[in-house]
Amino acid sequence: DVQLQASGGGLVQAGGSLRLSCAASGFTFDDYAIGWFRQAPGKEREGVSCIENSDGTTTYQDSVKGRFTISSDNAKNMVYLQMNNLTPEDTAVYYCALAGGSSCEYGVNYWGKGTLVTVSS
């Protein structure tokens, strides 16, 4: 069965960095896109970044562009989100999710368990 497990969250001061990991299993990794989403307290869940594991194509929301980097290790079935220059507005529970196909334009089919990122001022 499909499994998506996010980890690596924690507490960091503004300007600091964290690296989130998503361990994936239960599907052919190279055939699917995986995205990162986040949900801050009192706000709706929003998309952050996405990677197409077939060719490594990446997309980012404007609010994180230039600060966050998504990457994948196909041999390990892992997706990472390197987050630099963090701000308190980045505080949220972060989730990795499996798209319905190889493109980041597909909707989400499966959600993983989230990991909490807290950025202090």
Side-chain angles (χ1 to χ4, degrees), residues 40-51:
K43 296 185 178 180
E44 295 294 313
R45 185 175 293 177
E46 64 177 354
V48 177
S49 184
C50 184
I51 186 165

Side-chain angles (χ1 to χ4, degrees), residues 55-114:
D55 60 7
T57 300
T58 60
T59 58
Y60 300 91
Q61 292 299 312
D62 288 343
S63 64
V64 306
K65 195 170 296 182
R67 299 189 298 122
F68 291 10
T69 303
I70 190 170
S71 62
S72 61
D73 185 337
N74 290 30
K76 296 181 178 180
N77 287 3
M78 296 285 292
V79 175
Y80 306 98
L81 186 67
Q82 179 66 45
M83 306 185 296
N84 298 326
N85 301 316
L86 286 161
T87 75
E89 288 68 42
D90 295 315
T91 294
V93 176
Y94 284 71
Y95 304 85
C96 57
L98 180 67
S102 61
S103 172
C104 290
E105 297 300 313
Y106 288 101
V108 172
N109 274 8
Y110 296 92
W111 294 94
K113 182 180 177 182

